[in-house]
Amino acid sequence: MDATTPPLSPDRLSRTRLRLRKTVPMQGLGAHLRRMAGQSMEFRDYRSYHFGDDIRLVDWRASVRNGPDRDWFLKVFEAEQRMSLMIVVDDRAAMRLPRSAEKLLYALWVLRALARVAAEAGDAIVLIRMFSPGAPIIKAEGRGCEAAAREFAERIWRDNPASLHAVPVCDPGRWRVHLRPSSAVVLLSDLLFADPDNRIAGFLRKAQKSWRQLFVQPLDSAAQELALLRRTDRLKVADTEGRVLADAVFERDAAFEASVRRNIDHQIETNVASWRGPGLVVESPVIWPDTPGRDALAEQFHERFLSSGLFRGIAARGGLG
């Protein structure tokens, strides 16, 4: 079994998804199918005729009423479009902490579970590495979603991690073209990255346009990481992700832990406030278990993921079946 395979039975995942489609109200979750211009029998609107358009779609009566010197009017009809699910994974070096039960690993479990949901619904997925500007953006649809997600997740997991001292670089401008009118966007992150030029915020606000929903899943391992530090009374903190700490040495005590928690909460609140829009859904944070290690994290995923707001919000959007 691959390291990024979700610790969850595929059969249980499928049964839960089908049950949600039958029992969870769709109101507020967004329609699974949206209308787009196409070749169906339901009239949508008029537009001007362009060279190469099918002449049979010209509405001659409307064109005559518009006047002899005006453009011809072309009928535009409706078609239905499947949901496109965009999943953005925070792949900063800090997401590989804590080293015994990495936030990145949990995010990749979630990604692959959601890709299976998309595959069973016949939907499309777009997979993005948030802080790897040169990495390809992966697209797949239908049954191809699972294989694409597996390859994407395993490639991230096998990559040599960047230095914790490196400043993460993000290029969200490349992602915009992959937004579709019927998409939902999922961000998997600890939300502790800086966005000094608001480029990430600009994209995430745009992601909420056209009735899209932006699901943000915070991953919070702070309590476990602080617990691991209690083995020492004094702590030297090096510069991290471009944040200059001047080789500071801290007394590891209750005041230090409270200060760390305030700084974490402030960074998260600052980011979320800059993303605020009509489609934003910030899920309850995934809190790391008290017991360190991947086994404990996998057990928590197995027990709680299918009842999480993120899974219910995506799975209940349901297909036509």
Side-chain angles (χ1 to χ4, degrees), residues 226-236 250-253 257:
L226 286 169
L228 294 173
L229 293 176
R230 289 176 189 143
R231 301 171 184 171
T232 180
D233 292 330
R234 292 171 64 83
L235 177 69
K236 182 177 180 179
F250 296 92
E251 297 291 335
R252 204 290 312 149
D253 54 17
E257 291 191 11

Side-chain angles (χ1 to χ4, degrees), residues 234-276:
R234 292 171 64 83
L235 177 69
K236 182 177 180 179
V237 181
D239 300 350
T240 302
E241 295 188 344
R243 296 170 171 85
V244 179
L245 300 173
D247 275 345
V249 177
F250 296 92
E251 297 291 335
R252 204 290 312 149
D253 54 17
F256 169 74
E257 291 191 11
S259 174
V260 169
R261 188 72 253 183
R262 284 196 301 272
N263 290 337
I264 288 173
D265 291 343
H266 175 73
Q267 181 68 63
I268 292 172
E269 290 166 5
T270 298
N271 277 338
V272 170
S274 70
W275 307 338
R276 193 71 63 191

Side-chain angles (χ1 to χ4, degrees), residues 34-213:
R34 288 180 60 86
R35 293 293 186 179
M36 60 178 290
Q39 296 294 320
S40 74
M41 296 304 294
E42 186 173 346
F43 174 73
R44 178 188 182 190
D45 203 351
Y46 287 108
R47 68 167 173 81
S48 297
Y49 176 84
H50 300 298
F51 179 77
D53 286 334
D54 190 339
I55 196 72
R56 294 171 296 179
L57 298 179
V58 172
D59 187 322
W60 297 108
R61 291 185 178 179
S63 299
V64 169
R65 289 196 299 270
N66 197 36
D69 298 327
R70 303 292 183 88
D71 292 337
W72 292 345
F73 277 161
L74 196 75
K75 290 181 179 179
V76 179
F77 296 90
E78 299 280 6
E80 287 179 325
Q81 178 179 322
R82 288 284 190 178
M83 185 177 79
S84 173
L85 177 63
M86 176 181 284
I87 307 177
V88 181
V89 178
D90 183 347
D91 61 338
R92 294 162 25 248
M95 286 288 288
R96 293 183 182 266
L97 299 174
R99 300 193 189 283
S100 62
E102 301 88 335
K103 290 173 284 190
L104 179 62
L105 182 59
Y106 195 99
L108 296 177
W109 288 343
V110 173
L111 177 143
R112 291 188 59 179
L114 295 182
R116 182 177 179 87
V117 170
E120 293 184 347
D123 290 329
I125 57 172
V126 179
L127 306 178
I128 295 174
R129 297 180 62 161
M130 190 172 187
F131 290 97
S132 297
I137 294 173
I138 304 302
K139 300 177 69 176
E141 59 184 40
R143 291 298 174 182
C145 291
E146 284 190 88
R150 174 181 176 275
E151 182 178 354
F152 177 86
E154 286 295 310
R155 183 177 300 159
I156 294 177
W157 190 242
R158 291 193 303 265
D159 277 357
N160 293 322
S163 168
L164 279 171
H165 304 291
V167 179
V169 178
C170 182
D171 182 18
R174 294 197 310 143
W175 312 344
R176 293 176 183 256
V177 69
H178 298 283
L179 288 171
R180 294 171 58 184
S182 61
S183 68
V185 179
V186 174
L187 172 61
L188 306 171
S189 172
D190 61 8
L191 310 188
L192 297 180
F193 52 82
D195 184 23
D197 54 7
N198 285 317
R199 296 174 67 197
I200 297 172
F203 171 80
L204 294 177
R205 287 195 298 268
K206 182 178 178 61
Q208 300 170 61
K209 303 293 185 181
S210 302
W211 300 99
R212 294 186 198 94
Q213 283 186 294

Side-chain angles (χ1 to χ4, degrees), residues 4 22 101 112 154 200 278 305 308:
T4 64
K22 294 177 181 178
R112 291 188 59 179
E154 286 295 310
I200 297 172
F305 176 68
S308 68

